[in-house]
Amino acid sequence: MSTDTDRIRALNDQLRKNLSGGRAVMTPGVAALGSEAVYRLVQTIAIFDDFCPANDPHGEHDFGAFEFEGAPIMFKIDYYDKDLNFHSPNPADPAVTERVLTIMLAEEY
């Protein structure tokens, strides 16, 4: 792995584990599960560690999928510029990147 990949993975893990260094959003289907379920989902994503070449081919820890109370759940982290208009010019640099963690039901993808 490259130094940039290591840095991207660390920044993604920081967002996923602590909800810091970016923002998190959820789809309407996740919101409809209720605040208690959303709280548990966020906790589950924070400890998610099932990264492998099939779901993390670039080693960035930017995607995960699991079942939660019978519902297939996915999360993904995207890298935008600071104005949220375009892709980040350098996802390894938090000065030019806004990370967005999206939590969704798999059927909403």
Side-chain angles (χ1 to χ4, degrees), residues 70-108:
I73 300 290
M74 297 167 59
F75 69 86
K76 63 189 212 79
I77 298 174
D78 293 300
Y79 319 119
Y80 294 98
D81 67 10
K82 285 298 198 175
D83 294 324
L84 298 172
N85 290 321
F86 303 103
H87 291 286
S88 169
N90 181 0
D93 183 357
V96 299
T97 303
E98 185 68 26
R99 286 180 155 62
V100 178
L101 167 67
T102 303
I103 306 167
M104 69 193 89
L105 298 177
E107 66 194 45
E108 294 176 296

Side-chain angles (χ1 to χ4, degrees), residues 2-52:
S2 73
T3 302
D4 280 352
T5 300
D6 292 341
R7 180 72 177 137
I8 290 168
R9 181 175 49 250
L11 292 164
N12 288 347
D13 286 344
Q14 176 184 331
L15 175 57
R16 188 176 50 77
K17 292 178 180 181
N18 306 311
L19 295 181
S20 64
R23 58 183 76 195
V25 298
M26 69 184 103
T27 58
V30 169
L33 297 174
S35 61
E36 291 282 327
V38 170
Y39 177 77
R40 290 192 314 276
L41 264 175
V42 169
Q43 290 180 316
T44 301
I45 291 168
I47 62 170
F48 182 88
D49 66 354
D50 189 23
F51 296 106
C52 64

Side-chain angles (χ1 to χ4, degrees), residues 46-63:
I47 62 170
F48 182 88
D49 66 354
D50 189 23
F51 296 106
C52 64
N55 68 12
D56 191 28
H58 303 290
E60 296 178 351
H61 291 188
D62 60 352
F63 175 84

